[in-house]
mmCIF file of all heavy atoms in Angstrom:
data_model
loop_
_atom_site.group_PDB
_atom_site.id
_atom_site.type_symbol
_atom_site.label_atom_id
_atom_site.label_comp_id
_atom_site.label_asym_id
_atom_site.label_seq_id
_atom_site.Cartn_x
_atom_site.Cartn_y
_atom_site.Cartn_z
ATOM 1 N N THR K 63 92.178 128.722 76.571
ATOM 2 C CA THR K 63 93.208 129.741 76.840
ATOM 3 C C THR K 63 93.148 130.171 78.300
ATOM 4 O O THR K 63 92.132 129.966 78.962
ATOM 5 C CB THR K 63 92.957 131.007 75.969
ATOM 6 O OG1 THR K 63 91.697 131.557 76.381
ATOM 7 C CG2 THR K 63 92.915 130.660 74.480
ATOM 8 N N ALA K 64 94.233 130.811 78.726
ATOM 9 C CA ALA K 64 94.288 131.305 80.112
ATOM 10 C C ALA K 64 93.108 132.271 80.358
ATOM 11 O O ALA K 64 92.537 132.285 81.451
ATOM 12 C CB ALA K 64 95.619 131.976 80.378
ATOM 13 N N ASN K 65 92.790 133.090 79.343
ATOM 14 C CA ASN K 65 91.731 134.065 79.528
ATOM 15 C C ASN K 65 90.364 133.401 79.761
ATOM 16 O O ASN K 65 89.575 133.851 80.567
ATOM 17 C CB ASN K 65 91.608 134.988 78.318
ATOM 18 C CG ASN K 65 92.672 136.056 78.381
ATOM 19 O OD1 ASN K 65 93.241 136.295 79.473
ATOM 20 N ND2 ASN K 65 93.013 136.662 77.266
ATOM 21 N N GLN K 66 90.117 132.305 79.017
ATOM 22 C CA GLN K 66 88.857 131.579 79.188
ATOM 23 C C GLN K 66 88.751 131.027 80.592
ATOM 24 O O GLN K 66 87.690 131.109 81.233
ATOM 25 C CB GLN K 66 88.745 130.435 78.170
ATOM 26 C CG GLN K 66 88.352 130.880 76.805
ATOM 27 C CD GLN K 66 88.424 129.732 75.814
ATOM 28 O OE1 GLN K 66 89.401 128.994 75.782
ATOM 29 N NE2 GLN K 66 87.386 129.578 75.010
ATOM 30 N N VAL K 67 89.830 130.411 81.025
ATOM 31 C CA VAL K 67 89.829 129.824 82.389
ATOM 32 C C VAL K 67 89.651 130.928 83.418
ATOM 33 O O VAL K 67 88.832 130.809 84.349
ATOM 34 C CB VAL K 67 91.139 129.029 82.626
ATOM 35 C CG1 VAL K 67 91.176 128.504 84.064
ATOM 36 C CG2 VAL K 67 91.250 127.877 81.652
ATOM 37 N N ALA K 68 90.361 132.023 83.241
ATOM 38 C CA ALA K 68 90.253 133.154 84.192
ATOM 39 C C ALA K 68 88.817 133.666 84.237
ATOM 40 O O ALA K 68 88.264 133.931 85.306
ATOM 41 C CB ALA K 68 91.225 134.261 83.814
ATOM 42 N N ALA K 69 88.215 133.797 83.033
ATOM 43 C CA ALA K 69 86.848 134.329 82.969
ATOM 44 C C ALA K 69 85.879 133.446 83.751
ATOM 45 O O ALA K 69 84.991 133.921 84.452
ATOM 46 C CB ALA K 69 86.390 134.453 81.520
ATOM 47 N N LEU K 70 86.090 132.125 83.615
ATOM 48 C CA LEU K 70 85.224 131.195 84.354
ATOM 49 C C LEU K 70 85.366 131.362 85.867
ATOM 50 O O LEU K 70 84.369 131.421 86.603
ATOM 51 C CB LEU K 70 85.545 129.747 83.950
ATOM 52 C CG LEU K 70 84.731 128.646 84.613
ATOM 53 C CD1 LEU K 70 83.260 128.731 84.252
ATOM 54 C CD2 LEU K 70 85.254 127.259 84.251
ATOM 55 N N ILE K 71 86.605 131.458 86.339
ATOM 56 C CA ILE K 71 86.836 131.605 87.783
ATOM 57 C C ILE K 71 86.290 132.936 88.272
ATOM 58 O O ILE K 71 85.648 133.036 89.315
ATOM 59 C CB ILE K 71 88.329 131.487 88.111
ATOM 60 C CG1 ILE K 71 88.848 130.102 87.701
ATOM 61 C CG2 ILE K 71 88.588 131.729 89.597
ATOM 62 C CD1 ILE K 71 90.335 129.952 87.781
ATOM 63 N N GLU K 72 86.511 133.989 87.477
ATOM 64 C CA GLU K 72 86.116 135.318 87.911
ATOM 65 C C GLU K 72 84.616 135.497 88.034
ATOM 66 O O GLU K 72 84.152 136.468 88.623
ATOM 67 C CB GLU K 72 86.755 136.384 87.000
ATOM 68 C CG GLU K 72 88.201 136.658 87.417
ATOM 69 C CD GLU K 72 88.991 137.373 86.355
ATOM 70 O OE1 GLU K 72 88.458 137.622 85.239
ATOM 71 O OE2 GLU K 72 90.180 137.653 86.621
ATOM 72 N N LYS K 73 83.859 134.603 87.411
ATOM 73 C CA LYS K 73 82.405 134.681 87.589
ATOM 74 C C LYS K 73 82.018 134.494 89.046
ATOM 75 O O LYS K 73 80.962 134.925 89.477
ATOM 76 C CB LYS K 73 81.748 133.542 86.799
ATOM 77 C CG LYS K 73 81.457 133.946 85.365
ATOM 78 C CD LYS K 73 80.569 132.895 84.716
ATOM 79 C CE LYS K 73 80.563 133.116 83.227
ATOM 80 N NZ LYS K 73 80.372 131.887 82.488
ATOM 81 N N ASP K 74 82.890 133.812 89.754
ATOM 82 C CA ASP K 74 82.597 133.588 91.179
ATOM 83 C C ASP K 74 83.543 134.490 92.006
ATOM 84 O O ASP K 74 84.713 134.232 92.187
ATOM 85 C CB ASP K 74 82.883 132.098 91.486
ATOM 86 C CG ASP K 74 82.485 131.711 92.897
ATOM 87 O OD1 ASP K 74 82.516 132.607 93.795
ATOM 88 O OD2 ASP K 74 82.139 130.553 93.131
ATOM 89 N N GLN K 75 82.920 135.562 92.498
ATOM 90 C CA GLN K 75 83.705 136.583 93.222
ATOM 91 C C GLN K 75 84.412 136.033 94.489
ATOM 92 O O GLN K 75 85.564 136.346 94.729
ATOM 93 C CB GLN K 75 82.771 137.703 93.670
ATOM 94 C CG GLN K 75 82.455 138.717 92.589
ATOM 95 C CD GLN K 75 83.748 139.407 92.117
ATOM 96 O OE1 GLN K 75 84.498 139.871 92.964
ATOM 97 N NE2 GLN K 75 83.972 139.472 90.823
#
Side-chain angles (χ1 to χ4, degrees):
T63 64
N65 281 341
Q66 281 173 314
V67 175
L70 179 65
I71 299 171
E72 278 163 357
K73 273 191 193 149
D74 187 331
Q75 279 298 312

